[in-house]
Amino acid sequence: MLVARNYSCQVGEIDLIMRDGEYWVFIEVRYRHLAHYGEAGATIDQRKQRKIVLTAISWLQAQYINIEEVACRFDVFAITGNKIDWIIDAFGQDSLFDGS
């Protein structure tokens, strides 16, 4: 279920925020017309992942949701040309609390 789109704060921006069962899902959407310089999903480096995680924390706090009591997931919806990849849990488990 779609909850919000294009949420932004001082830290960064999240394209889509959804609910999937018990999970809050934060989705980064990436598009590349061609793969000459790599697939769209490969453009999300560690720095961008960190910004997305911090932005997700900001959104959860703005909703008065205790981040220690919720399940979160970070997905990437990547489009390269005609190829579509939905990468579920793209950043790995426990991305909110690993301190990276």
Side-chain angles (χ1 to χ4, degrees):
M1 171 178 65
L2 179 64
V3 176
R5 65 179 87 166
N6 300 322
Y7 171 77
S8 62
C9 65
Q10 287 182 320
V11 178
E13 181 257 336
I14 294 178
D15 296 316
L16 300 169
I17 301 170
M18 302 182 84
R19 283 292 281 184
D20 182 16
E22 68 179 286
Y23 286 92
W24 287 104
V25 183
F26 301 92
I27 302 171
E28 176 70 9
V29 178
R30 288 294 173 122
Y31 172 78
R32 280 202 166 170
H33 180 68
L34 300 170
H36 290 305
Y37 300 105
E39 301 279 326
T43 65
I44 303 172
D45 59 14
Q46 229 175 9
R47 186 183 65 79
K48 179 62 177 174
Q49 288 180 25
R50 180 73 175 150
K51 286 181 77 168
I52 293 168
V53 170
L54 292 174
T55 304
I57 291 169
S58 171
W59 184 84
L60 290 166
Q61 290 174 337
Q63 307 307 309
Y64 301 102
I65 297 171
N66 185 341
I67 62 174
E68 295 179 8
E69 297 177 359
V70 297
C72 295
R73 191 178 80 212
F74 297 89
D75 292 2
V76 173
F77 189 79
I79 304 163
T80 305
N82 292 327
K83 180 182 175 192
I84 298 173
D85 291 313
W86 190 320
I87 307 163
I88 296 173
D89 196 24
F91 303 171
Q93 299 263 330
D94 301 319
S95 298
L96 280 176
F97 311 110
D98 68 3
S100 62

